[in-house]
Amino acid sequence: MIRDTAAQGARLAAARALVQDILIPAEARMDAEDRMPEAARAAIRAHGLFGISIPEAHGGLGLTMEEEAELMLILGRAAPAYRAVFALNSGGAAQILLRAGTEPQKARWLPGLARGDLIACFCLSEPEAGSDAASLRTTARRDGDGWRIDGRKRWVTNAPEAGMLMVMARTGGEGARGISAFAIDPATRGVRIQPAQAKMGMRGAQVADIVFEDCRVPADALIGAEGEGLKLALAGLDKVRLHLAALCAGLMERLVDEGRRHALARQQFGKPIAEQPAVAALLADSAAEALAARCMALELARARDAGTLRPADAAAAKLFATEAAGRVADRVLQVHGGEGYMTGSAAERLYRDVRLLRILDGTSEIQRLVVARGLFSGTV
Ligand SMILES: Cc1cc2nc3c(=O)[nH]c(=O)nc-3n(C[C@H](O)[C@H](O)[C@H](O)COP(=O)(O)OP(=O)(O)OC[C@H]3O[C@@H](n4cnc5c(N)ncnc54)[C@H](O)[C@@H]3O)c2cc1C
């Protein structure tokens, strides 16, 4: 496909201005209030970011993976909670609709998600089913022409402002093949959003549990075939993992900048701490890891566009970038000394935010399993 590089160039320039002029200045307020400021949300909408990879035919930007990665390298410089609010609209829920939805199902949900009028929630995890998603217990039973959903989903991002729920529920027997996907309006009777639980970071992107009790939904809430739900959810994971790798690379570059600025400004022993080799080394190691993550994300994004991406490579990129981002956040906090530990500094906020990325969308341990499976497949 021939892409309009001028349009992408303009998009990246606009994203830089958005990050610098609106998103970074609003971070402290978002953290304090645990709510995305309206001006930031409006600007994100105006830039079309809710529909980052929803096709243009459905109102989105329709970016390729490489274009999305380039954009996330820039947007990753702002607090990752912004991304948790806008990018989920193009993430799991939309990807399932695009892969398996009928035209009426796509027409019902995708334009609202692309515009950001509806906020999507992806409802997979449960109290007893985290890494082992295939063991989930929420049920969907046939009920006349439709379905009856019962169960509890845990820690659903954006649940307090949900406009659309993509729910994985058990329609058949045990294991992955018994799970189906349902697109549900959260205003449906029998859906209860429980008060949000406090988190250590990512404030602004709220989470809550969702309880389904005798929740009756029409037949066309089922997306794709019965028993295909988990397969559909997992099929979108490569994309999410590359998206997060690019986000982490951008975040690391921001952290290195924060550390560099502080190291130049802070004087001890009569000179800037940047002149202390031990401090400079903390930032040099961090810059090297940021660069490695950037290269990985872009290279693998191109591979995905070309259809040559291996799942183990997407998992490796997510594993490396999220673990490296944790190391970089720790080093940059160290460069800030006591100021980094006190609430209010960007180093402290981002240190709390970044911790979640090693847990979400498959923990680091699960990524290692996928990488190892790639290494040994066919050989053991
Ligand atoms: C802030 C936040 C937002 C979230 N948002 C969403 C959301 O929007 N939608 C959603 O569906 N879920 C969401 N989640 C849930 C998230 O996806 C899970 O937390 C994650 O999948 C891990 O599951 P768990 O927390 O139950 O940990 P567990 O699965 O209990 O794992 C605990 C530990 O054991 C390790 N472990 C487990 N199994 C293995 C194994 N086979 N081999 C090696 N190690 C293993 C894990 O790596 C981890 O270190 C969110 C979680 C948080 C904290």
Side-chain angles (χ1 to χ4, degrees):
M1 189 186 349
I2 296 170
R3 302 296 301 179
D4 181 346
T5 51
Q8 174 70 351
R11 215 165 10 240
L12 298 180
R16 267 182 218 106
L18 172 70
V19 165
Q20 215 46 50
D21 301 341
I22 297 179
L23 301 188
I24 291 180
E27 278 177 0
R29 190 174 145 209
M30 179 163 73
D31 185 60
E33 296 177 0
D34 195 10
R35 167 151 231 96
M36 194 199 277
E38 268 321 307
R41 183 188 298 270
I44 284 170
R45 274 181 67 136
H47 283 71
L49 299 180
F50 282 99
I52 204 168
S53 57
I54 294 176
E56 286 167 291
H58 298 293
L61 295 180
L63 300 190
T64 63
M65 192 68 233
E66 183 180 6
E67 290 168 337
E68 181 174 339
E70 288 173 342
L71 196 56
M72 291 317 298
L73 287 168
I74 294 169
L75 296 169
R77 297 180 69 89
Y82 289 116
R83 170 264 162 200
V85 177
F86 72 76
L88 262 59
N89 271 26
S90 285
Q95 296 307 314
I96 289 177
L97 278 163
L98 285 166
R99 223 172 270 269
T102 60
E103 286 311 314
Q105 287 171 328
K106 291 179 193 170
R108 170 162 185 205
W109 297 110
L110 290 175
L113 293 179
R115 285 192 302 270
D117 295 345
L118 298 175
I119 297 294
C121 291
F122 189 69
C123 310
L124 176 62
S125 305
E126 300 181 357
E128 307 303 329
S131 299
D132 183 13
S135 67
L136 66 80
R137 297 176 182 179
T138 294
T139 55
R141 297 195 176 88
R142 284 199 180 276
D143 174 59
D145 284 348
W147 298 88
R148 200 187 93 193
I149 318 272
D150 292 279
R152 168 187 286 264
K153 295 293 176 180
R154 185 164 72 158
W155 301 328
V156 178
T157 302
N158 298 332
E161 47 183 331
M164 182 270 201
L165 308 175
M166 183 62 77
V167 181
M168 295 296 141
R170 190 164 296 288
T171 47
E174 296 292 299
R177 292 206 184 122
I179 296 170
S180 305
F182 294 86
I184 297 177
D185 180 343
T188 309
R189 231 174 69 200
V191 177
R192 193 155 36 91
I193 316 268
Q194 296 222 315
Q197 202 177 338
K199 317 186 248 59
M200 72 182 269
M202 288 280 191
R203 291 170 58 80
Q206 299 178 7
V207 298
D209 287 8
I210 305 185
V211 178
F212 297 90
E213 242 165 21
D214 194 15
C215 168
R216 288 158 202 264
V217 297
D220 68 357
L222 174 70
I223 309 294
E226 237 183 286
E228 247 193 3
L230 197 60
K231 196 170 122 201
L232 286 168
L234 298 181
L237 273 184
D238 289 353
K239 179 177 183 315
V240 174
R241 287 171 179 165
L242 297 185
H243 170 102
L244 287 176
L247 173 99
C248 285
L251 186 53
M252 284 188 262
E253 290 171 4
R254 158 84 183 280
L255 283 161
V256 171
D257 275 357
E258 296 284 345
R260 190 172 54 89
R261 256 199 308 276
H262 184 81
L264 289 171
R266 175 72 174 162
Q267 302 259 341
Q268 286 294 283
F269 300 98
K271 57 185 180 183
I273 58 170
E275 291 181 28
Q276 303 292 346
V279 173
L282 289 173
L283 293 173
D285 282 346
S286 300
E289 292 199 285
L291 179 62
R294 166 181 278 267
C295 294
M296 258 177 146
L298 287 173
E299 170 83 13
L300 294 177
R302 282 181 212 114
R304 186 175 188 276
D305 288 336
T308 57
L309 179 71
R310 296 177 305 180
D313 293 345
K318 198 262 181 186
L319 171 65
F320 175 78
T322 56
E323 292 281 335
R327 290 190 290 272
V328 169
D330 187 66
R331 290 189 202 112
V332 168
L333 193 149
Q334 190 69 13
V335 168
H336 281 73
E339 196 180 311
Y341 189 74
M342 304 308 284
T343 53
S345 71
E348 180 267 343
R349 267 198 322 272
L350 295 172
Y351 178 85
R352 284 186 281 114
D353 289 348
V354 82
R355 189 62 185 83
L356 180 64
L357 300 170
R358 289 154 61 190
I359 296 169
L360 269 191
D361 295 303
T363 62
S364 287
E365 291 71 29
I366 296 300
Q367 306 306 326
R368 289 189 185 97
L369 290 181
V370 179
V371 175
R373 203 179 300 139
L375 279 178
F376 295 119
S377 60
T379 61
V380 286

